[in-house]
């Protein structure tokens, strides 16, 4: 038995002011073919789990491509390049493999394509036909459609946010595919879409209220002996018709009944999912209040509305401006991409001073550029690191040339490149900053940071200023989503018969 496997996905924010070329989609490049084994074996990502499941079962794997990231919608050129590369493997080895296992996302959008994952599955099916078994793993924030489900023999979703279970999700997708090929099971997959949007900044499954929702679905799946059941939160920042939450169930029988019952329970408790948001001044006030309870350690403030992991520009200035205007003692902010300011720091050297406009260069929604004057350059780095977060542990990352500067009492880490959200302390480490020396730490992330920071921060405060990943969805102007949808339309109803 041979199985072709790979990963291709994009979480695209259609409210971004630009579109993403392939370098924005794949800032660290992408492994192809046999290189996937070197990069992802034992790594906490879909391919790592797929490899482990296949090796456990003695199944030979044919690797293809591996890329999953967050960015603005992809250009047509980037889309064609990525899809054509995947399909070249599908065609090259056609006739040698018995099934396909793919790691996808579910919120991909590209120029001319509203549903990247559906498009990917359609292109694969054009080569292999409708009879070949294909299982797919999807991100918790996938906008899952009926058409997408129809093209897969099993749709398996991440359950945790932070996504600490991508390995397990890939493992289950591969394991189930092997069982299908051996004739050990013939699962059915059912979906029930909900007229519901959730806000990632307040939907971490290790906190209430979303933890309760996760536990309910897990208990239901256990009691009814389902192969898998996922409450997909959806991605409210893709203004496309298929956007929204859903429930997907994989089972030997009764999948649709299970999906409907789970969806009904979620709908009845939907009011718990409407967040309360703090502006930066309120967040800083709360952080300072919490610090009074601790003699050492730091309070972390995460700016969720400018989370690069949701396709935002990452150079927003609202929270940073609050730090600087208050001249917060013992505060550090990491990180903000600004190539020009990094070059100035390199020219000035360690101990030198720089001035200029920092951040806010991408659009007007995330705050205006901040003029910093006579900032002292504290350290310089090549920006290369290896993640230690449980979400992406062991994978390499490069922020490009990196500088840590001090403006008044506030320290800022500035990078040459935008490279994902802050998962862990690597931006601090590469710049020589010891978190034990700070009292207030500012970062850009919605929830993945919690996998690393939750155990070590004395407290965490979320701020949600204007931005294209704001939790206050009423700030966004939608044109193409299906209405009504809760909570944008509070009188929305949910009819299981439709």
């Amino acid at each position: 038995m041979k199985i072709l496997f790979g990963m291709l996905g994009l979480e695209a924010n259609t409210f971004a002011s630009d579109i993403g070329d392939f370098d924005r989609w794949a800032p660290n490049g992408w492994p192809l073919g046999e290189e996937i084994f070197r990069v992802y074996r034992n790594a906490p990502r879909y391919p790592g789990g797929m490899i482990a499941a296949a090796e456990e079962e003695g199944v030979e794997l044919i690797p293809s491509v591996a890329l999953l990231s967050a960015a603005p919608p992809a250009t047509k050129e980037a889309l064609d390049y990525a899809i054509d590369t995947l399909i070249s493997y599908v065609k090259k080895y056609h006739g040698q493999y018995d099934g396909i296992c793919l790691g996808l996302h579910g919120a991909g959008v590209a120029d001319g394509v509203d549903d990247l994952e559906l498009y990917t599955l359609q292109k694969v099916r054009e080569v292999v036909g409708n009879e070949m078994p294909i299982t797919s793993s999807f991100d918790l924030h996938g906008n899952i459609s009926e058409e997408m489900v129809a093209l897969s023999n099993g749709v398996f979703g991440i359950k945790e946010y932070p996504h600490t279970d991508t390995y397990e999700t890939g493992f289950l997708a591969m394991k189930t595919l092997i069982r299908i090929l051996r004739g050990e099971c013939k699962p059915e997959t059912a979906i029930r879409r909900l007229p519901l949007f959730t806000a990632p900044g307040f939907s971490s499954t290790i906190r209430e209220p979303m933890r309760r929702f996760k536990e309910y679905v897990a208990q239901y799946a256990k009691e009814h002996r389902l192969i898998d059941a996922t409450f997909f939160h959806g991605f409210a920042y893709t203004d496309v018709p298929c956007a929204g939450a859903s429930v997907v169930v994989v089972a030997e029988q009764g999948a649709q009944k299970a999906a409907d019952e789970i969806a009904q329970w979620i709908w009845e408790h939907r009011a718990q999912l409407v967040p309360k948001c703090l502006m930066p001044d309120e967040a800083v006030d709360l952080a300072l209040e919490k610090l009074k309870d601790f003699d050492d350690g730091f309070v972390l403030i995460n700016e969720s509305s400018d989370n690069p992991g949701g396709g935002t520009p990452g150079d927003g200035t609202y929270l940073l401006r609050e730090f600087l205007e208050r001249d917060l003692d013992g505060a550090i902010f990491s990180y903000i991409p600004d190539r020009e300011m990094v070059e100035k720091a390199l020219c000035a050297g360690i101990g030198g001073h720089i001035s200029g406009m920092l951040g806010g260069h991408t659009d007007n929604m995330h705050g205006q550029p901040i003029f910093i004057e006579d900032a002292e350059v504290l350290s310089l780095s090549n920006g290369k690191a290896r993640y230690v977060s449980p979400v992406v542990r062991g994978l390499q990352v490069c922020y490009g040339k990196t500088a840590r500067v001090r403006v008044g009492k506030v320290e800022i880490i500035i990078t040459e490149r935008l490279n994902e959200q802050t998962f862990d302390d690597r931006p601090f480490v590469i710049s020589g900053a010891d978190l034990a020396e700070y009292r207030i730490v500012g970062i850009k992330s919605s929830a993945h940071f919690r996998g690393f920071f939750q155990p070590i921060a004395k407290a965490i405060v979320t701020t949600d200023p204007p931005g294209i990943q704001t939790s206050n969805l009423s700030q966004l102007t939608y044109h193409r989503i299906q209405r009504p949808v809760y909570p944008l339309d509070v009188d929305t109803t949910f009819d299981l018969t439709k």
Side-chain angles (χ1 to χ4, degrees):
M1 182 190 298
K2 292 184 180 180
I3 293 174
L4 184 140
F5 81 111
M7 177 173 70
L8 184 62
L10 172 66
E11 185 177 75
N13 193 316
T14 62
F15 295 98
S17 60
D18 56 350
I19 57 177
D21 59 15
F22 190 75
D23 288 338
R24 180 70 187 274
W25 189 356
N28 295 304
W30 62 336
L32 301 173
E34 294 295 322
E35 189 182 3
I36 293 174
F37 291 113
R38 179 187 64 80
V39 174
Y40 284 104
R41 179 175 274 114
N42 300 320
R45 306 296 272 174
Y46 298 135
M50 293 174 184
I51 293 169
E55 292 180 342
E56 183 178 288
E57 296 293 336
V59 172
E60 185 176 345
L61 290 178
I62 299 174
S64 57
V65 307
L67 171 61
L68 193 151
S69 184
T75 62
K76 186 179 187 306
E77 291 75 17
L79 171 68
D80 290 345
Y81 174 63
I83 294 294
D84 289 351
T85 304
L86 170 62
I87 297 303
S88 70
Y89 283 91
V90 176
K91 290 180 176 179
K92 179 179 179 180
Y93 296 101
H94 190 216
Q96 298 183 38
Y97 50 85
D98 304 288
I100 297 175
C101 189
L102 294 175
L104 304 173
H105 187 282
V109 179
D111 185 14
V113 175
D114 284 345
D115 189 336
L116 174 61
E117 286 71 24
L118 174 60
Y119 182 77
T120 301
L121 289 168
Q122 288 172 333
K123 290 295 183 182
V124 172
R125 285 292 184 195
E126 287 176 6
V127 178
V128 304
N130 295 324
E131 299 304 315
M132 177 168 287
I134 298 177
T135 59
S136 307
S137 53
F138 284 83
D139 192 279
L140 180 66
H141 296 108
N143 297 314
I144 311 301
S145 65
E146 291 86 354
E147 295 82 2
M148 202 185 297
V149 169
L151 293 178
S152 291
N153 298 86
V155 169
F156 301 88
I158 294 171
K159 313 297 186 298
E160 300 288 352
Y161 187 42
H163 299 332
T164 54
D165 60 334
T166 52
Y167 178 97
E168 289 78 5
T169 306
F171 186 95
L172 181 58
M174 178 64 76
K175 197 84 165 182
T176 305
L177 176 59
I178 294 170
R179 292 185 62 215
I180 293 172
L181 292 171
R182 288 176 175 167
E184 297 172 359
C185 72
K186 190 177 181 180
E188 56 186 50
T189 304
I191 179 173
R192 176 58 66 187
R193 297 183 62 208
L194 288 149
L196 171 68
F197 278 174
T198 67
F202 294 84
S203 298
S204 172
T205 58
I206 62 175
R207 305 172 64 231
E208 298 298 349
M210 197 58 84
R211 177 165 51 193
R212 182 187 179 205
F213 285 74
K214 176 193 68 176
E215 291 174 348
Y216 169 80
V217 176
Q219 184 62 33
Y220 185 102
K222 181 180 179 180
E223 291 177 356
H224 293 79
R225 299 184 178 180
L226 307 177
I227 296 173
D228 195 40
T230 307
F231 168 30
F232 285 97
H233 298 181
F235 194 62
Y237 310 103
T238 50
D239 186 15
V240 295
C242 64
S246 63
V247 174
V248 176
V249 170
V250 183
E252 294 272 20
Q253 58 184 2
Q256 190 61 62
K257 180 175 183 292
D260 290 347
E261 290 181 352
I262 294 171
Q264 185 63 47
W265 185 91
I266 291 169
W267 183 253
E268 290 171 357
H269 296 82
R270 66 191 181 280
Q272 299 176 28
L273 300 176
V274 180
K276 296 179 180 179
C277 307
L278 297 179
M279 293 300 288
D281 60 335
E282 298 171 305
V284 171
D285 286 343
L286 181 57
L288 291 173
E289 188 65 29
K290 288 181 177 294
L291 275 177
K292 295 177 181 178
D293 297 330
F294 309 105
D295 294 329
D296 57 9
F298 64 89
V299 172
L300 183 142
I301 305 177
N302 68 298
E303 189 173 17
S304 64
S305 52
D306 188 24
N307 166 32
T312 72
D315 67 348
T317 57
Y318 284 112
L319 180 58
L320 176 58
R321 186 181 300 277
E322 190 68 25
F323 276 28
L324 293 173
E325 288 182 351
R326 297 202 192 194
D327 197 21
L328 293 173
D329 193 15
I332 185 169
F333 189 94
S334 176
Y335 65 98
I336 185 164
D338 193 312
R339 185 185 300 268
E340 183 176 339
M341 292 301 288
V342 167
E343 290 297 333
K344 286 186 177 184
L346 289 170
C347 291
I350 296 174
H353 291 77
I354 61 172
S355 300
M357 303 302 293
L358 175 66
H361 301 308
T362 305
D363 58 36
N364 295 322
M365 189 172 186
H366 297 84
Q368 297 297 316
I370 300 172
F371 180 70
I372 61 172
E373 185 174 8
D374 202 31
E376 180 184 2
V377 180
L378 302 177
S379 71
L380 298 169
S381 165
N382 63 11
K384 294 181 179 180
R386 191 179 293 273
Y387 287 124
V388 295
S389 163
V391 179
V392 285
R393 181 180 290 117
L395 297 180
Q396 292 182 330
V397 60
C398 181
Y399 301 94
K401 300 168 186 174
T402 300
R404 177 164 55 95
V405 305
R406 181 187 293 121
V407 182
K409 298 175 183 176
V410 178
E411 295 184 18
I412 310 167
I413 296 174
I414 310 171
T415 65
E416 179 184 20
R417 300 167 58 189
L418 174 68
N419 201 321
E420 263 291 355
Q421 61 193 289
T422 300
F423 286 106
D424 52 29
D425 65 350
R426 296 302 91 175
F428 301 92
V429 170
I430 62 174
S431 66
D434 182 355
L435 286 174
E437 298 178 357
Y438 301 91
R439 295 290 276 162
I440 296 182
V441 175
I443 65 168
K444 292 178 181 288
S445 179
S446 289
H448 286 321
F449 73 95
R450 291 182 182 274
F452 178 86
F453 286 101
Q454 185 98 10
I456 64 173
K458 296 296 186 180
I460 294 174
V461 177
T462 298
T463 185
D464 189 59
I468 61 172
Q469 203 181 355
T470 175
S471 295
N472 183 0
L473 301 177
S474 64
Q475 292 183 2
L476 302 175
T477 302
Y478 291 95
H479 298 284
R480 304 186 60 218
I481 60 171
Q482 294 186 32
R483 306 290 290 258
V485 61
Y486 185 85
L488 289 175
D489 307 301
V490 294
D491 295 328
T492 302
T493 59
F494 176 49
D495 186 352
L496 277 170
T497 64
K498 293 182 179 180

